[in-house]
Amino acid sequence: DSGVTQTPKHLITATGQRVTLRCSPRSGDLSVYWYQQSLDQGLQFLIQYYNGEERAKGNILERFSAQQFPDLHSELNLSSLELGDSALYFCASSGPTGGAWTDTQYFGPGTRLTVL
Amino acid sequence: KNEVEQSPQNLTAQEGEFITINCSYSVGISALHWLQQHPGGGIVSLFMLSSGKKKHGRLIATINIQEKHSSLHITASHPRDSAVYICAVIQGAQKLVFGQGTRLTINP
């Protein structure tokens, strides 16, 4: 158990809909990262937040947005969903430094999103 | 050509064998990560390297910055090592690029 929690575990929805994925980092970790893993594109980095502020941005679509709240949990919002958005979405957290990927990351179990 | 190439893509070995997984990249990087993804999907960060060599238990990771190459070695492999191993390189401050992964199967 990494100490990172993600909800829900599974999500099935229809094209055009909007969903919110939630992540709670390990106690004391200030950074949260979001990743997408699809069958055809593998793992991709989406975005990093550090202590409430966006710190690094990867291949995140404009239809996707994220935020980190004062209690450090984070939410990833996916809107106008398309079939190709079906994937595993992981969040990870890391410790006190704000640099991207300079600390060991602890991954959550992932949320499997299926868009029908 | 992908910026990060892993080889082999698939590897099957017998328990006890010495395993080597390679990661080559084509751009300058500031660091490299090795990740392990279990059959159930969970991901564990194994190593973060910017130079030299690191060891944790039966796992050893090396990196040669000049040759743009990293290796992950597993000594005395065990069926529980069966997983997908993924390398990821960090370019500059904000760009992270993943390899396609190496699927390792260790047979008893």
Side-chain angles (χ1 to χ4, degrees), chain A residues 23-90:
Chain A
C23 169
S24 293
R26 289 190 326 153
S27 177
D29 282 356
L30 299 178
S31 276
V32 170
Y33 303 78
W34 285 98
Y35 298 91
Q36 179 195 57
Q37 186 176 40
S38 60
L39 280 176
D40 56 342
Q41 299 213 358
L43 261 174
Q44 290 194 90
F45 164 65
L46 297 179
I47 198 162
Q48 177 205 2
Y49 277 83
Y50 173 75
N51 205 19
E53 301 283 330
E54 182 184 305
R55 185 57 65 101
K57 206 165 187 175
N59 299 325
I60 189 165
L61 300 172
E62 284 191 14
R63 299 183 286 109
F64 296 0
S65 65
Q67 55 184 327
Q68 187 179 27
F69 294 87
D71 67 351
L72 301 176
H73 91 272
S74 178
E75 292 181 356
L76 179 66
N77 300 295
L78 315 176
S79 61
S80 302
L81 284 167
E82 302 175 359
L83 296 178
D85 298 327
S86 295
L88 261 173
Y89 291 84
F90 290 98

Side-chain angles (χ1 to χ4, degrees), chain B residues 32-64:
Chain B
L32 180 147
H33 286 253
W34 280 103
L35 308 174
Q36 178 193 53
Q37 186 166 26
H38 297 287
I43 297 176
V44 174
S45 176
L46 298 176
F47 295 103
M48 182 176 63
L49 294 162
S50 54
S51 64
K53 177 178 171 178
K54 287 191 176 180
K55 184 175 189 288
H56 186 258
R58 296 180 294 105
L59 272 60
I60 303 165
T62 64
I63 189 167
N64 186 315

Side-chain angles (χ1 to χ4, degrees), chain B:
Chain B
K1 190 177 189 301
N2 293 333
E3 291 176 282
V4 181
E5 295 277 354
Q6 287 188 235
S7 63
Q9 287 193 337
N10 293 282
L11 178 57
T12 300
Q14 292 300 120
E15 183 173 356
E17 287 188 36
F18 182 83
I19 302 299
T20 295
I21 298 169
N22 298 297
C23 176
S24 296
Y25 50 91
S26 56
V27 294
I29 67 169
S30 55
L32 180 147
H33 286 253
W34 280 103
L35 308 174
Q36 178 193 53
Q37 186 166 26
H38 297 287
I43 297 176
V44 174
S45 176
L46 298 176
F47 295 103
M48 182 176 63
L49 294 162
S50 54
S51 64
K53 177 178 171 178
K54 287 191 176 180
K55 184 175 189 288
H56 186 258
R58 296 180 294 105
L59 272 60
I60 303 165
T62 64
I63 189 167
N64 186 315
I65 296 290
Q66 287 74 30
E67 294 187 4
K68 294 186 167 61
H69 181 268
S70 176
S71 292
L72 177 68
H73 305 286
I74 305 174
T75 62
S77 59
H78 189 275
R80 66 175 174 266
D81 297 324
S82 297
V84 176
Y85 292 84
I86 303 167
C87 78
V89 302
I90 302 160
Q91 300 171 22
Q94 293 202 359
K95 189 174 180 187
L96 181 72
V97 182
F98 290 93
Q100 77 277 28
T102 293
R103 184 175 299 277
L104 173 66
T105 303
I106 304 296
N107 293 319

